[in-house]
Amino acid sequence: MKVLSAVAWPYANGPRHLGHVAGFGVPSDVFSRYMRMAGHDVLMVSGSDEHGTPILVQADKEGVTAREFVDRNHAVIAGELTDLGCSYDLYTRTTTANHYAVAQELFHHVWENGYLVEQTTRGAISPSTGRTLPDRFIEGTCPICGYGEARGDQCDSCGNQLEPTDLVDPRSKINGETPDFVETQHFFLDLPALAGPLRAWLEERADSGTWRPNVIKFSLNILDEIRPRAMTRDLDWGIPVPIDGWREQPTKRLYVWFDAVIGYLSASVEWARRLGEPDRWREWWNDPEALSYYFMGKDNITFHSQIWPAELLAYAGRGERGGEPGRYGELNLPTEVVSSEYLTMEGRQFSTSRGYTILVRDVLDRYGPDGIRYFICAAGPESQDSNFTWREFVQRNNSELVAGWGNLVSRTAAMVAKNFGEVPAPGPLEPVDEEVRAAVLAGFGSVGGLLERHRQRAAIAEAMRVVGEVNAYVSRTEPFKLKGEHERQRLATVLHTLVQCVADLNTILAPFLPHAANRVHAVLGGEGEFVPMPRLETVEGLDAEDEGRSYPVITGEYSATPRWESRAVVVGTPISKPAPVFTKLDESVVDDELARAQA
C-alpha cells in the first residue's frame, strides 16, 4: 500500500521547542517507521515554511534580510529533526523554485476553475511602519465568544475563523498599536462554493470512525460558518500571484497558508525529481487507493481539514462551479488529519518570546533523543493537552527506560557473555518458556494494531507491559542460579529464550526508539544499522532560478527497514559484556532545569 506521511511544516522563525515536535515530529516518525516495517511503501515529506510577514518582522529585528534569516533557521531546524531521528524521505523548504512553480500552478488553475474571486477588503497596516500586519499578529476580543486574546485569523477559545476586522479593540502584537484598516484588493477562495463536497468528504471520514473525535467534531463545526477567505496578502516576501495584471505587482503575494499546505505536494514532486523519476510522486497522489495521513498540532486543523481539501477540490473542479483537473490530475484528499493537542511545560504554555521554553537542541545535546522520544510517545498530547515536567521526564527515563528495558537488555547480554560468549543453542522448551515467547509474539499484533490507529501512548504502554513480562520471566526462571553442569542445558534454553525475546522486543520498540534500537542490535551481536536513520545532505537547487544556491535537506534510504515480525536469533552469534543502553539521570537534573527556566 502507498502511504503518504505528510508532516506539518515548521515555521522558520527560529529553533523548535518540545511543544512543536510533540505535535508533529515524533508522532509522524513513529507512524512512518511502523508503516514501513509493516510492509507499506511510505513517502514521508515536509520542510521549512519560510514566507509571511512574521519572517520579515523577525528579520528586521535582527538586521538581516528575510532570505538570510530563513537560510539560518532552516539549517537549524533540519539539524534538530535529523538528530531527533525523524525519517523523512525529503525535508525541504518553501523558498525553492520547485515549490514556487507547484504553488503557482495550483493557484492559477483554481482561479481558472472559478474558485478564486477578486474582492475588495480592508487590510491591517501598521501606522508606524506602513507594513501589512499579518492576521496572527493582530489580537483582540472575539466577537463570538468574548475571548480577550483572539487572533486575527482564528479564536483559540471557540475555534471560529475570524478576520482582523471582526475583532473588538484590535491591537498589534508587535508593539501594541491600533492598526489602520485600508481598502485593498485580494483573491478570495470561494469556500461556500466548495462547502457541499467538503461536507460530504468530512461526513464520509466521520463514518469511517478513524479520525480522533476532537478533530472530526471541530472540522464539521467550522463548516457551519464557512465563508470566502483571502488567499493573497499585501507583502513583498513570498510567492508572486500568478495572474496577469497581478504578477507585476511587487507587493502582492500568496497567503502563506495557501502556499504552505501545497508543500506536501511540492516536496513529493521535488523528491521524485531528485530521484530521477519525475512522475513517481503520482503513485501517492493520483492513485485513489493510496492513503495519506497529515500530522500537526490542533491549531492547524482548520488549514488541513478545510483550506487544503478545498484547494484540492477546487483544483479538480469538484465544487458547484464545476471545472476540470489541472496538469497534476485529480489529487487525493487526506485519509486522516492526525492532530495532537497542546504540550505545556510545568503547567504553563510554552512561550519563546518570554523565554519560557525547552528547545529541542538543548534537550538533544544534554540528554540525547531517546528520553524525549519516549516521553512524547508515553505521555504526549495525543488526544488531550498534556504537561511536561522535568521530574516526570527523569522518572520515566530512570524507572522505565533504564530500569525496565535497558536493564533487561544489559543483564540478558551480560549473562550470555559470562556463561557462553555467544547465543547458545536451546534445549527442550518448558511451559514457562513457551508462555513468555507467546506473550512477546502477541505484542506484534497488539502494538502494531494500536500504532496503525495512531494510539501511540497505548502502543508504547503495551510494549513496556510485554517488557515487564520478560523481566518477570527472568525472576521466575532465575538463570543466575543455574550453575551446575547438569543445569547447563537448561541455562542455555533460558538464555536463548531471553535473547529471542529481547530481539523481538527491540523490533517492537524500534519505531519509538530508533537510536536505542541500533544500540540494542549491537549488544546482541548484530552488525550495521538495525533500523535506517535519516541523514542531512546539502543539495543544489533543481531549477535555473535556484542556480548557484545550495541548502540542507533531510533524506534517507529506508529500504533496509526490518519487517514487523519475529526473526530467529542465530545460534553462535558472539555476545560481549555490554555497555549500558541508556543513561540514568541524576535527580539534580530537575532543579538544574527548573533554574534554567527561571533564568
Side-chain angles (χ1 to χ4, degrees), residues 59-132:
D60 281 353
K61 284 183 179 179
E62 297 190 18
V64 297
T65 66
R67 173 73 71 181
E68 290 169 335
F69 184 74
V70 298
D71 281 350
R72 184 187 72 211
N73 286 325
H74 168 70
V76 168
I77 295 168
E80 294 167 349
L81 295 174
T82 301
D83 291 347
L84 194 59
C86 297
S87 55
Y88 294 101
D89 291 278
L90 182 66
Y91 180 92
T92 179
R93 58 196 308 189
T94 58
T95 52
T96 66
N98 174 80
H99 177 71
Y100 274 47
V102 175
Q104 288 179 325
E105 157 64 16
L106 260 72
F107 190 96
H108 192 271
H109 195 74
V110 169
W111 173 74
E112 284 185 325
N113 277 344
Y115 297 98
L116 282 167
V117 293
E118 290 186 53
Q119 289 186 16
T120 299
T121 185
R122 294 172 68 206
I125 303 294
S126 165
S128 60
T129 67
R131 176 173 284 163
T132 301

Side-chain angles (χ1 to χ4, degrees), residues 287-570:
D287 180 358
E289 296 300 313
L291 303 175
S292 56
Y293 299 88
Y294 290 74
F295 294 86
M296 76 219 61
K298 67 178 177 182
D299 53 335
N300 291 342
I301 293 174
T302 297
F303 302 101
H304 292 83
S305 68
Q306 184 179 97
I307 302 300
W308 179 227
E311 289 179 37
L312 295 171
L313 289 165
Y315 185 79
R318 289 173 57 188
E320 65 181 34
R321 299 177 187 274
E324 296 294 328
R327 64 187 179 91
Y328 292 137
E330 190 157 329
L331 301 165
N332 291 336
L333 294 171
T335 303
E336 186 168 350
V337 172
V338 187
S339 170
S340 299
E341 300 292 297
Y342 290 142
L343 183 72
T344 56
M345 170 186 169
E346 303 288 347
R348 292 168 54 188
Q349 283 191 338
F350 283 91
S351 175
T352 304
S353 62
R354 299 185 184 99
Y356 195 76
T357 188
I358 305 171
L359 297 179
V360 172
R361 172 51 60 200
D362 290 344
V363 174
L364 290 173
D365 288 348
R366 289 199 281 268
Y367 311 112
D370 299 312
I372 196 56
R373 285 184 65 110
Y374 182 80
F375 184 95
I376 290 170
C377 293
E382 184 175 284
S383 55
Q384 61 184 21
D385 292 352
S386 66
N387 186 39
F388 176 90
T389 69
W390 285 108
R391 188 164 302 282
E392 184 180 359
F393 173 73
V394 170
Q395 182 271 324
R396 285 186 177 275
N397 180 85
N398 292 350
S399 66
E400 297 173 26
L401 282 185
V402 176
W405 175 225
N407 184 51
L408 175 62
V409 174
S410 295
R411 64 176 172 169
T412 295
M415 287 188 289
V416 172
K418 178 181 178 181
N419 290 283
F420 296 95
E422 62 183 31
V423 177
L429 297 185
E430 296 184 2
V432 68
D433 311 319
E434 293 173 341
E435 286 170 12
V436 76
R437 287 292 298 121
V440 174
L441 290 172
F444 284 99
S446 58
V447 175
L450 291 164
L451 286 176
E452 202 164 292
R453 302 196 304 277
H454 307 289
R455 295 185 59 198
Q456 294 181 7
R457 288 178 61 148
I460 201 165
E462 170 66 3
M464 294 304 285
R465 183 193 67 77
V466 180
V467 168
E469 296 233 8
V470 182
N471 272 315
Y473 169 77
V474 178
S475 299
R476 292 169 68 188
T477 56
E478 299 183 315
F480 39 84
K481 291 185 178 180
L482 301 173
K483 297 180 178 179
E485 191 60 36
H486 66 287
E487 296 175 309
R488 192 156 180 80
Q489 186 183 65
R490 179 60 189 152
L491 176 63
T493 301
V494 171
L495 293 184
H496 181 95
T497 300
L498 271 175
V499 174
Q500 185 65 65
C501 288
V502 169
D504 287 346
L505 280 168
N506 195 41
T507 300
I508 290 171
L509 285 164
F512 309 101
L513 302 168
H515 304 82
N518 285 332
R519 294 197 300 277
V520 173
H521 177 66
V523 166
L524 298 183
E527 296 181 354
E529 284 187 332
F530 178 58
V531 291
M533 299 299 288
R535 61 180 186 267
L536 195 64
E537 290 185 357
T538 298
V539 299
E540 301 293 324
L542 292 171
D543 301 281
E545 297 89 338
D546 284 333
E547 187 174 352
R549 184 183 179 209
S550 61
Y551 52 93
V553 300
I554 307 173
T555 187
E557 169 51 60
Y558 307 111
S559 59
T561 295
R563 294 301 296 266
W564 187 256
E565 61 190 13
S566 175
R567 282 170 297 283
V569 296
V570 178

Side-chain angles (χ1 to χ4, degrees), residues 137-415:
F137 274 40
I138 303 172
E139 201 170 67
T141 300
C142 176
I144 299 169
C145 72
Y147 178 60
E149 296 181 6
R151 298 193 310 264
D153 61 346
Q154 180 177 307
C155 175
D156 283 339
S157 178
C158 66
N160 282 287
Q161 297 173 58
L162 301 170
E163 296 292 338
T165 50
D166 296 332
L167 296 173
V168 179
D169 296 326
R171 58 193 176 276
S172 167
K173 291 181 70 175
I174 299 172
N175 56 19
E177 65 187 1
T178 301
D180 291 333
F181 290 96
V182 300
E183 286 196 347
T184 182
Q185 196 79 357
H186 284 296
F187 279 103
F188 281 67
L189 182 61
D190 192 356
L191 289 168
L194 298 156
L198 264 177
R199 184 174 293 280
W201 167 68
L202 281 171
E203 288 177 345
E204 185 235 352
R205 294 289 80 214
D207 291 342
S208 74
T210 58
W211 283 36
R212 291 174 178 169
N214 57 319
V215 180
I216 195 66
K217 181 180 179 181
F218 176 84
S219 302
L220 284 166
N221 284 346
I222 60 177
L223 277 178
D224 295 336
E225 301 293 331
I226 200 166
R227 57 183 174 178
R229 290 209 49 179
M231 291 294 136
T232 54
R233 288 292 187 269
D234 293 302
L235 196 60
D236 56 4
W237 171 248
I239 300 177
V241 181
I243 306 296
D244 290 341
W246 287 68
R247 299 175 193 269
E248 302 77 18
Q249 299 188 49
T251 59
K252 295 288 185 181
R253 293 290 187 268
L254 301 191
Y255 176 35
V256 64
W257 266 111
F258 184 93
D259 92 76
V261 289
I262 294 172
Y264 303 117
L265 175 61
S266 69
S268 303
V269 172
E270 182 182 343
W271 168 81
R273 293 178 67 192
R274 292 194 179 281
L275 201 66
E277 302 177 47
D279 284 331
R280 181 84 182 278
W281 62 271
R282 292 185 182 276
E283 296 175 21
W284 285 266
W285 285 91
N286 293 148
D287 180 358
E289 296 300 313
L291 303 175
S292 56
Y293 299 88
Y294 290 74
F295 294 86
M296 76 219 61
K298 67 178 177 182
D299 53 335
N300 291 342
I301 293 174
T302 297
F303 302 101
H304 292 83
S305 68
Q306 184 179 97
I307 302 300
W308 179 227
E311 289 179 37
L312 295 171
L313 289 165
Y315 185 79
R318 289 173 57 188
E320 65 181 34
R321 299 177 187 274
E324 296 294 328
R327 64 187 179 91
Y328 292 137
E330 190 157 329
L331 301 165
N332 291 336
L333 294 171
T335 303
E336 186 168 350
V337 172
V338 187
S339 170
S340 299
E341 300 292 297
Y342 290 142
L343 183 72
T344 56
M345 170 186 169
E346 303 288 347
R348 292 168 54 188
Q349 283 191 338
F350 283 91
S351 175
T352 304
S353 62
R354 299 185 184 99
Y356 195 76
T357 188
I358 305 171
L359 297 179
V360 172
R361 172 51 60 200
D362 290 344
V363 174
L364 290 173
D365 288 348
R366 289 199 281 268
Y367 311 112
D370 299 312
I372 196 56
R373 285 184 65 110
Y374 182 80
F375 184 95
I376 290 170
C377 293
E382 184 175 284
S383 55
Q384 61 184 21
D385 292 352
S386 66
N387 186 39
F388 176 90
T389 69
W390 285 108
R391 188 164 302 282
E392 184 180 359
F393 173 73
V394 170
Q395 182 271 324
R396 285 186 177 275
N397 180 85
N398 292 350
S399 66
E400 297 173 26
L401 282 185
V402 176
W405 175 225
N407 184 51
L408 175 62
V409 174
S410 295
R411 64 176 172 169
T412 295
M415 287 188 289

